[in-house]
Amino acid sequence: MKPFSLLFIILVIVLLTSYIDAFTRNDFPEDFLFGAATSAYQWEGAVDEDGRTPSVWDTTSHCYNGSNGDVACDGYHKYKEDVKLMAEMGLEAFRFSISWPRLIPNGRGPINPKGLLFYKNLIKELRSQGIKPHVTLYHYDLPQSLEDEYGGWINRKVIEDFTAFADVCFREFGDDVKLWTTINEATIFAIATYGEGMKFGHCTPSKFNNCSTSNSCTETYIAGHNMLLAHASASNLYKLKYKSKQGGSIGLSIFAFGLVPYTNSKDDEIETQRAKAFLYGWMLKPLVFGDYPDEMKRTLGSRLPVFSEEESEKVKGSSDFVGIIHYTTLYVTNRPGPYIFPSDTNKGFFTDMGAYIISTGNSSSFEFEATSWGLGGVLEYLKQSYNNPPIYILENGTPMKHDSMLQDRPRVEYIQACIGAVLNAINSGLLDSLYVTNLLTDQEWDTRSYFVWSMIDLYEIIGGYRSSFGMYYVNISDPGRKRSPKLSAFWYTGFLKGTIDVASQD
């Protein structure tokens, strides 16, 4: 290497690493999207208005006599106010989901005109403010009628019904929507719903006691298999029928824990790779390479469904991008540790995985430690292991107890650290393009968005209204659901508008 080249590379490294402590929105590529996210059941409310019918999420939230999303933060009626807040913040994109039972109340058949109008108006309002809509087709709200008819995601009939629902969405909204996610965090949805006792739409005592006496240890993988096939079906439909005219992209999202060995032992490294095969590879290897990881096939045997040759070809390459949902980082070890998930049993997916996972730092159900290095590790691993796919970070945030305290400094510190990690990842890609590309590889890092979960306080899956992720506080006791900005809203606004220097954020 010529001395000038070496000096240039050293200079680039110095410049890039300096961004760790000080960065602004302008340090990111112009086409990188910063936004915030919600989902239909958690935001809209109005569960029995204008033709909407129950989803499995309605059923479950009422079944156990806890809190519910009947009103939530009333986004259905207050969407114009919320879009105005987004515009004032400087959001470049907003991620939301389409409520299947609001758009097609019976799960299939006639479209609900009032539901259709609501989403058209929401999208129009966003675009009028220069905010790009990113639409998730499925965020856990399967029409209860389909669950009653055939059991939902454990039945292959759902593939046809989901594809028909997606077809309506593409046709009606696709001229204005350029980013589609088919299924939200498909991995953890299949695990939690069918294997770990968080049963959306199942008002029965837990049956997850033993794989030899229960279907739970096969239903997880059947549901996951059907999600992959449904995603591929909808994606292929979009590419055949709509993509050339509408010019959008479509992908699947997974829940992506940061996963690192607990010790530097070889055993913990092996267990970490095994955990990544189960938690990442379960969905990503079929999407990229057409089949499940060998580790899963060896462990699960006949409990893991098999792709036909035709199915494998349809699933492979069906995602234009990978959406990742990242909140926290876990240590992985081969030694038993406390079980960290809200379940009544250790049986099921995590037993099959065979690796023990431990929370890092002081993470809890009410607050995640800002382990930004874990997010960077996820991005690096996906780049190296799955052919450097385009990545959209679709959710990232930290919960805090839901009260009137607006000084959510831990959330600011968390979001800032994670955005810094993303910038470091992008800068690493820049370094690749300057140096490594010419010598070793033609791959540059391809991370394209960062969405904060969540725009405002929502009805949360685990915490209900006891904990929240919102940058805007919502007074649940107020019939008007008044919104009030938290410190994190001011910080994100300042970051997006270039009025905050991260190095001197105080």
Side-chain angles (χ1 to χ4, degrees), residues 390-411:
I391 292 174
Y392 286 81
I393 300 172
L394 298 180
E395 291 181 26
N396 180 246
T398 187
M400 296 181 68
K401 291 182 179 180
H402 182 265
D403 52 31
S404 59
M405 295 298 292
L406 303 181
Q407 298 298 319
D408 57 343
R409 181 168 293 277
R411 180 174 287 116

PDB file of all heavy atoms in Angstrom, residues 390-411:
ATOM      1  N   PRO A 390     -30.425  -4.842   2.569  1.00  0.00           N
ATOM      2  CA  PRO A 390     -30.880  -3.537   3.039  1.00  0.00           C
ATOM      3  C   PRO A 390     -31.623  -3.713   4.366  1.00  0.00           C
ATOM      4  O   PRO A 390     -32.445  -4.621   4.506  1.00  0.00           O
ATOM      5  CB  PRO A 390     -31.831  -3.075   1.927  1.00  0.00           C
ATOM      6  CG  PRO A 390     -31.411  -3.836   0.717  1.00  0.00           C
ATOM      7  CD  PRO A 390     -30.937  -5.164   1.229  1.00  0.00           C
ATOM      8  N   ILE A 391     -31.322  -2.862   5.341  1.00  0.00           N
ATOM      9  CA  ILE A 391     -31.906  -2.997   6.673  1.00  0.00           C
ATOM     10  C   ILE A 391     -32.651  -1.723   7.041  1.00  0.00           C
ATOM     11  O   ILE A 391     -32.115  -0.617   6.912  1.00  0.00           O
ATOM     12  CB  ILE A 391     -30.828  -3.295   7.730  1.00  0.00           C
ATOM     13  CG1 ILE A 391     -30.232  -4.689   7.506  1.00  0.00           C
ATOM     14  CG2 ILE A 391     -31.405  -3.193   9.148  1.00  0.00           C
ATOM     15  CD1 ILE A 391     -29.061  -5.007   8.417  1.00  0.00           C
ATOM     16  N   TYR A 392     -33.885  -1.889   7.490  1.00  0.00           N
ATOM     17  CA  TYR A 392     -34.658  -0.800   8.067  1.00  0.00           C
ATOM     18  C   TYR A 392     -34.832  -1.099   9.553  1.00  0.00           C
ATOM     19  O   TYR A 392     -35.379  -2.146   9.915  1.00  0.00           O
ATOM     20  CB  TYR A 392     -36.033  -0.677   7.403  1.00  0.00           C
ATOM     21  CG  TYR A 392     -35.991  -0.080   6.017  1.00  0.00           C
ATOM     22  CD1 TYR A 392     -35.668  -0.864   4.914  1.00  0.00           C
ATOM     23  CD2 TYR A 392     -36.265   1.272   5.810  1.00  0.00           C
ATOM     24  CE1 TYR A 392     -35.622  -0.319   3.636  1.00  0.00           C
ATOM     25  CE2 TYR A 392     -36.222   1.826   4.544  1.00  0.00           C
ATOM     26  CZ  TYR A 392     -35.899   1.025   3.461  1.00  0.00           C
ATOM     27  OH  TYR A 392     -35.849   1.576   2.201  1.00  0.00           O
ATOM     28  N   ILE A 393     -34.333  -0.206  10.414  1.00  0.00           N
ATOM     29  CA  ILE A 393     -34.564  -0.342  11.851  1.00  0.00           C
ATOM     30  C   ILE A 393     -35.950   0.230  12.112  1.00  0.00           C
ATOM     31  O   ILE A 393     -36.157   1.443  12.082  1.00  0.00           O
ATOM     32  CB  ILE A 393     -33.486   0.395  12.658  1.00  0.00           C
ATOM     33  CG1 ILE A 393     -32.102  -0.187  12.334  1.00  0.00           C
ATOM     34  CG2 ILE A 393     -33.772   0.286  14.157  1.00  0.00           C
ATOM     35  CD1 ILE A 393     -30.952   0.601  12.926  1.00  0.00           C
ATOM     36  N   LEU A 394     -36.915  -0.662  12.352  1.00  0.00           N
ATOM     37  CA  LEU A 394     -38.323  -0.271  12.386  1.00  0.00           C
ATOM     38  C   LEU A 394     -38.840   0.040  13.784  1.00  0.00           C
ATOM     39  O   LEU A 394     -39.888   0.672  13.923  1.00  0.00           O
ATOM     40  CB  LEU A 394     -39.178  -1.371  11.756  1.00  0.00           C
ATOM     41  CG  LEU A 394     -38.891  -1.649  10.278  1.00  0.00           C
ATOM     42  CD1 LEU A 394     -39.786  -2.761   9.767  1.00  0.00           C
ATOM     43  CD2 LEU A 394     -39.080  -0.393   9.440  1.00  0.00           C
ATOM     44  N   GLU A 395     -38.140  -0.426  14.804  1.00  0.00           N
ATOM     45  CA  GLU A 395     -38.509  -0.085  16.185  1.00  0.00           C
ATOM     46  C   GLU A 395     -37.251  -0.069  17.034  1.00  0.00           C
ATOM     47  O   GLU A 395     -36.420  -0.971  16.953  1.00  0.00           O
ATOM     48  CB  GLU A 395     -39.486  -1.101  16.796  1.00  0.00           C
ATOM     49  CG  GLU A 395     -40.876  -1.101  16.215  1.00  0.00           C
ATOM     50  CD  GLU A 395     -41.776  -2.130  16.902  1.00  0.00           C
ATOM     51  OE1 GLU A 395     -41.521  -2.462  18.089  1.00  0.00           O
ATOM     52  OE2 GLU A 395     -42.720  -2.619  16.255  1.00  0.00           O
ATOM     53  N   ASN A 396     -37.145   0.958  17.857  1.00  0.00           N
ATOM     54  CA  ASN A 396     -36.079   1.033  18.854  1.00  0.00           C
ATOM     55  C   ASN A 396     -36.504   2.040  19.903  1.00  0.00           C
ATOM     56  O   ASN A 396     -36.954   3.142  19.571  1.00  0.00           O
ATOM     57  CB  ASN A 396     -34.753   1.459  18.207  1.00  0.00           C
ATOM     58  CG  ASN A 396     -33.620   1.546  19.219  1.00  0.00           C
ATOM     59  OD1 ASN A 396     -33.102   2.616  19.494  1.00  0.00           O
ATOM     60  ND2 ASN A 396     -33.212   0.413  19.757  1.00  0.00           N
ATOM     61  N   GLY A 397     -36.394   1.666  21.150  1.00  0.00           N
ATOM     62  CA  GLY A 397     -36.793   2.570  22.218  1.00  0.00           C
ATOM     63  C   GLY A 397     -36.665   1.887  23.559  1.00  0.00           C
ATOM     64  O   GLY A 397     -36.242   0.728  23.655  1.00  0.00           O
ATOM     65  N   THR A 398     -37.054   2.579  24.593  1.00  0.00           N
ATOM     66  CA  THR A 398     -36.976   2.006  25.938  1.00  0.00           C
ATOM     67  C   THR A 398     -38.224   2.376  26.732  1.00  0.00           C
ATOM     68  O   THR A 398     -38.720   3.497  26.617  1.00  0.00           O
ATOM     69  CB  THR A 398     -35.710   2.485  26.678  1.00  0.00           C
ATOM     70  OG1 THR A 398     -35.577   1.775  27.915  1.00  0.00           O
ATOM     71  CG2 THR A 398     -35.739   3.967  26.955  1.00  0.00           C
ATOM     72  N   PRO A 399     -38.756   1.446  27.524  1.00  0.00           N
ATOM     73  CA  PRO A 399     -39.956   1.752  28.309  1.00  0.00           C
ATOM     74  C   PRO A 399     -39.602   2.457  29.608  1.00  0.00           C
ATOM     75  O   PRO A 399     -38.514   2.300  30.146  1.00  0.00           O
ATOM     76  CB  PRO A 399     -40.535   0.362  28.592  1.00  0.00           C
ATOM     77  CG  PRO A 399     -39.321  -0.520  28.673  1.00  0.00           C
ATOM     78  CD  PRO A 399     -38.336   0.048  27.678  1.00  0.00           C
ATOM     79  N   MET A 400     -40.556   3.239  30.081  1.00  0.00           N
ATOM     80  CA  MET A 400     -40.469   3.813  31.412  1.00  0.00           C
ATOM     81  C   MET A 400     -41.860   3.758  32.022  1.00  0.00           C
ATOM     82  O   MET A 400     -42.847   3.596  31.310  1.00  0.00           O
ATOM     83  CB  MET A 400     -39.950   5.253  31.351  1.00  0.00           C
ATOM     84  CG  MET A 400     -38.530   5.374  30.814  1.00  0.00           C
ATOM     85  SD  MET A 400     -37.910   7.083  30.764  1.00  0.00           S
ATOM     86  CE  MET A 400     -37.778   7.435  32.519  1.00  0.00           C
ATOM     87  N   LYS A 401     -41.943   3.863  33.330  1.00  0.00           N
ATOM     88  CA  LYS A 401     -43.244   3.817  33.976  1.00  0.00           C
ATOM     89  C   LYS A 401     -44.112   4.964  33.468  1.00  0.00           C
ATOM     90  O   LYS A 401     -43.666   6.097  33.348  1.00  0.00           O
ATOM     91  CB  LYS A 401     -43.087   3.888  35.498  1.00  0.00           C
ATOM     92  CG  LYS A 401     -42.454   2.632  36.080  1.00  0.00           C
ATOM     93  CD  LYS A 401     -42.352   2.692  37.597  1.00  0.00           C
ATOM     94  CE  LYS A 401     -41.737   1.403  38.144  1.00  0.00           C
ATOM     95  NZ  LYS A 401     -41.619   1.436  39.625  1.00  0.00           N
ATOM     96  N   HIS A 402     -45.346   4.628  33.170  1.00  0.00           N
ATOM     97  CA  HIS A 402     -46.257   5.610  32.591  1.00  0.00           C
ATOM     98  C   HIS A 402     -46.843   6.489  33.703  1.00  0.00           C
ATOM     99  O   HIS A 402     -47.709   6.070  34.453  1.00  0.00           O
ATOM    100  CB  HIS A 402     -47.377   4.919  31.829  1.00  0.00           C
ATOM    101  CG  HIS A 402     -48.318   5.878  31.162  1.00  0.00           C
ATOM    102  ND1 HIS A 402     -49.494   6.285  31.736  1.00  0.00           N
ATOM    103  CD2 HIS A 402     -48.239   6.528  29.975  1.00  0.00           C
ATOM    104  CE1 HIS A 402     -50.101   7.136  30.916  1.00  0.00           C
ATOM    105  NE2 HIS A 402     -49.363   7.295  29.848  1.00  0.00           N
ATOM    106  N   ASP A 403     -46.336   7.671  33.796  1.00  0.00           N
ATOM    107  CA  ASP A 403     -46.872   8.635  34.748  1.00  0.00           C
ATOM    108  C   ASP A 403     -46.697  10.019  34.135  1.00  0.00           C
ATOM    109  O   ASP A 403     -46.419  10.141  32.942  1.00  0.00           O
ATOM    110  CB  ASP A 403     -46.186   8.531  36.118  1.00  0.00           C
ATOM    111  CG  ASP A 403     -44.670   8.594  36.011  1.00  0.00           C
ATOM    112  OD1 ASP A 403     -44.173   9.271  35.081  1.00  0.00           O
ATOM    113  OD2 ASP A 403     -43.984   7.988  36.839  1.00  0.00           O
ATOM    114  N   SER A 404     -46.877  11.033  34.913  1.00  0.00           N
ATOM    115  CA  SER A 404     -46.847  12.388  34.356  1.00  0.00           C
ATOM    116  C   SER A 404     -45.441  12.973  34.275  1.00  0.00           C
ATOM    117  O   SER A 404     -45.279  14.133  33.914  1.00  0.00           O
ATOM    118  CB  SER A 404     -47.734  13.313  35.197  1.00  0.00           C
ATOM    119  OG  SER A 404     -47.275  13.342  36.540  1.00  0.00           O
ATOM    120  N   MET A 405     -44.434  12.164  34.616  1.00  0.00           N
ATOM    121  CA  MET A 405     -43.071  12.673  34.570  1.00  0.00           C
ATOM    122  C   MET A 405     -42.630  12.839  33.112  1.00  0.00           C
ATOM    123  O   MET A 405     -42.557  11.871  32.364  1.00  0.00           O
ATOM    124  CB  MET A 405     -42.125  11.728  35.310  1.00  0.00           C
ATOM    125  CG  MET A 405     -42.394  11.614  36.801  1.00  0.00           C
ATOM    126  SD  MET A 405     -42.185  13.194  37.662  1.00  0.00           S
ATOM    127  CE  MET A 405     -40.421  13.410  37.496  1.00  0.00           C
ATOM    128  N   LEU A 406     -42.332  14.056  32.729  1.00  0.00           N
ATOM    129  CA  LEU A 406     -41.978  14.342  31.341  1.00  0.00           C
ATOM    130  C   LEU A 406     -40.472  14.415  31.126  1.00  0.00           C
ATOM    131  O   LEU A 406     -40.012  14.522  29.993  1.00  0.00           O
ATOM    132  CB  LEU A 406     -42.628  15.660  30.902  1.00  0.00           C
ATOM    133  CG  LEU A 406     -44.158  15.717  31.031  1.00  0.00           C
ATOM    134  CD1 LEU A 406     -44.675  17.071  30.545  1.00  0.00           C
ATOM    135  CD2 LEU A 406     -44.815  14.588  30.265  1.00  0.00           C
ATOM    136  N   GLN A 407     -39.705  14.365  32.216  1.00  0.00           N
ATOM    137  CA  GLN A 407     -38.251  14.446  32.102  1.00  0.00           C
ATOM    138  C   GLN A 407     -37.673  13.039  31.922  1.00  0.00           C
ATOM    139  O   GLN A 407     -37.075  12.467  32.836  1.00  0.00           O
ATOM    140  CB  GLN A 407     -37.653  15.136  33.337  1.00  0.00           C
ATOM    141  CG  GLN A 407     -38.107  16.568  33.520  1.00  0.00           C
ATOM    142  CD  GLN A 407     -37.681  17.467  32.364  1.00  0.00           C
ATOM    143  OE1 GLN A 407     -36.559  17.359  31.876  1.00  0.00           O
ATOM    144  NE2 GLN A 407     -38.584  18.322  31.917  1.00  0.00           N
ATOM    145  N   ASP A 408     -37.874  12.459  30.746  1.00  0.00           N
ATOM    146  CA  ASP A 408     -37.461  11.069  30.500  1.00  0.00           C
ATOM    147  C   ASP A 408     -36.026  11.004  29.974  1.00  0.00           C
ATOM    148  O   ASP A 408     -35.759  10.499  28.887  1.00  0.00           O
ATOM    149  CB  ASP A 408     -38.431  10.384  29.533  1.00  0.00           C
ATOM    150  CG  ASP A 408     -38.567  11.102  28.201  1.00  0.00           C
ATOM    151  OD1 ASP A 408     -38.176  12.288  28.122  1.00  0.00           O
ATOM    152  OD2 ASP A 408     -39.053  10.491  27.244  1.00  0.00           O
ATOM    153  N   ARG A 409     -35.109  11.538  30.782  1.00  0.00           N
ATOM    154  CA  ARG A 409     -33.708  11.581  30.372  1.00  0.00           C
ATOM    155  C   ARG A 409     -33.136  10.198  30.024  1.00  0.00           C
ATOM    156  O   ARG A 409     -32.380  10.081  29.048  1.00  0.00           O
ATOM    157  CB  ARG A 409     -32.851  12.251  31.452  1.00  0.00           C
ATOM    158  CG  ARG A 409     -31.385  12.366  31.086  1.00  0.00           C
ATOM    159  CD  ARG A 409     -30.629  13.283  32.035  1.00  0.00           C
ATOM    160  NE  ARG A 409     -31.076  14.657  31.900  1.00  0.00           N
ATOM    161  CZ  ARG A 409     -30.632  15.488  30.967  1.00  0.00           C
ATOM    162  NH1 ARG A 409     -29.731  15.076  30.091  1.00  0.00           N
ATOM    163  NH2 ARG A 409     -31.064  16.722  30.908  1.00  0.00           N
ATOM    164  N   PRO A 410     -33.454   9.125  30.776  1.00  0.00           N
ATOM    165  CA  PRO A 410     -32.925   7.813  30.360  1.00  0.00           C
ATOM    166  C   PRO A 410     -33.327   7.433  28.934  1.00  0.00           C
ATOM    167  O   PRO A 410     -32.554   6.790  28.218  1.00  0.00           O
ATOM    168  CB  PRO A 410     -33.533   6.854  31.385  1.00  0.00           C
ATOM    169  CG  PRO A 410     -33.762   7.697  32.598  1.00  0.00           C
ATOM    170  CD  PRO A 410     -34.172   9.033  32.070  1.00  0.00           C
ATOM    171  N   ARG A 411     -34.522   7.824  28.514  1.00  0.00           N
ATOM    172  CA  ARG A 411     -34.937   7.538  27.138  1.00  0.00           C
ATOM    173  C   ARG A 411     -34.098   8.339  26.144  1.00  0.00           C
ATOM    174  O   ARG A 411     -33.702   7.826  25.090  1.00  0.00           O
ATOM    175  CB  ARG A 411     -36.426   7.841  26.952  1.00  0.00           C
ATOM    176  CG  ARG A 411     -36.942   7.576  25.549  1.00  0.00           C
ATOM    177  CD  ARG A 411     -38.439   7.734  25.436  1.00  0.00           C
ATOM    178  NE  ARG A 411     -39.133   6.624  26.090  1.00  0.00           N
ATOM    179  CZ  ARG A 411     -39.916   6.754  27.145  1.00  0.00           C
ATOM    180  NH1 ARG A 411     -40.116   7.945  27.691  1.00  0.00           N
ATOM    181  NH2 ARG A 411     -40.503   5.717  27.681  1.00  0.00           N
TER     182      ARG A 411
END
